[in-house]
């Protein structure tokens, strides 16, 4: 459980640069809200893991990181606004946090086994 909290803390600190967020500026606020589907949760975990790795990659420039981050969102089917919304909800919604932790635990078990 400590591992999951540590993982979440690291992922929660993942921020989306302003340039990537600007690509989502046209998104209507209502589109960012609403319930989080299983597919979105899976995409969120995928994106958060990649973003955390990119953030820590000293071999890439900020411009390269921003381009890669934009590609991560496109591939995962999540907008920057939706990613940020889910991240904020995970921090305040215990049921969503449990879903997140279950997804992370599932990924960890798959990697270990």
């Amino acid at each position: 459980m400590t591992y999951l909290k540590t993982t979440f803390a690291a992922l929660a600190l993942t921020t989306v640069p302003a340039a990537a967020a600007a690509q989502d500026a046209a998104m209507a606020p209502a589109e960012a809200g609403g319930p989080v589907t299983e597919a979105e949760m899976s995409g969120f975990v995928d994106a958060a893991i990649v973003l955390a790795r990119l953030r820590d990659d000293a071999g890439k420039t900020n411009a390269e990181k921003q381009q890669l981050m934009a590609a991560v969102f496109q591939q995962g089917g999540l907008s920057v606004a939706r990613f940020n919304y889910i991240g904020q909800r995970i921090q305040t919604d215990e049921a969503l946090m449990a879903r997140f932790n279950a997804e992370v635990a599932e990924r960890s078990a798959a990697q270990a086994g």
Side-chain angles (χ1 to χ4, degrees), residues 36-62:
V36 178
T37 67
E38 291 302 317
E40 287 176 324
M41 180 57 72
S42 180
F44 176 85
V45 171
D46 289 340
I49 290 168
V50 171
L51 293 176
R53 287 180 186 152
L54 278 174
R55 181 194 64 219
D56 296 335
D57 187 348
K60 293 192 179 7
T61 66
N62 284 338

Side-chain angles (χ1 to χ4, degrees), residues 15-33:
T15 58
V16 179
Q23 294 175 350
D24 260 6
M27 177 180 233
E31 292 180 52

Side-chain angles (χ1 to χ4, degrees), residues 33-110:
V36 178
T37 67
E38 291 302 317
E40 287 176 324
M41 180 57 72
S42 180
F44 176 85
V45 171
D46 289 340
I49 290 168
V50 171
L51 293 176
R53 287 180 186 152
L54 278 174
R55 181 194 64 219
D56 296 335
D57 187 348
K60 293 192 179 7
T61 66
N62 284 338
E64 290 171 324
K65 289 178 182 181
Q66 288 181 7
Q67 288 177 343
L68 291 169
M69 287 179 187
V72 166
F73 287 113
Q74 284 181 337
Q75 291 172 354
L78 286 177
S79 67
V80 173
R82 188 66 177 167
F83 177 86
N84 288 335
Y85 170 77
I86 293 169
Q88 290 169 356
R89 286 270 318 276
I90 286 172
Q91 295 177 45
T92 60
D93 183 324
E94 289 183 24
L96 202 56
M97 171 68 89
R99 285 175 56 197
F100 173 82
N101 285 338
E103 186 80 27
V104 171
E106 184 178 308
R107 303 277 174 92
S108 296

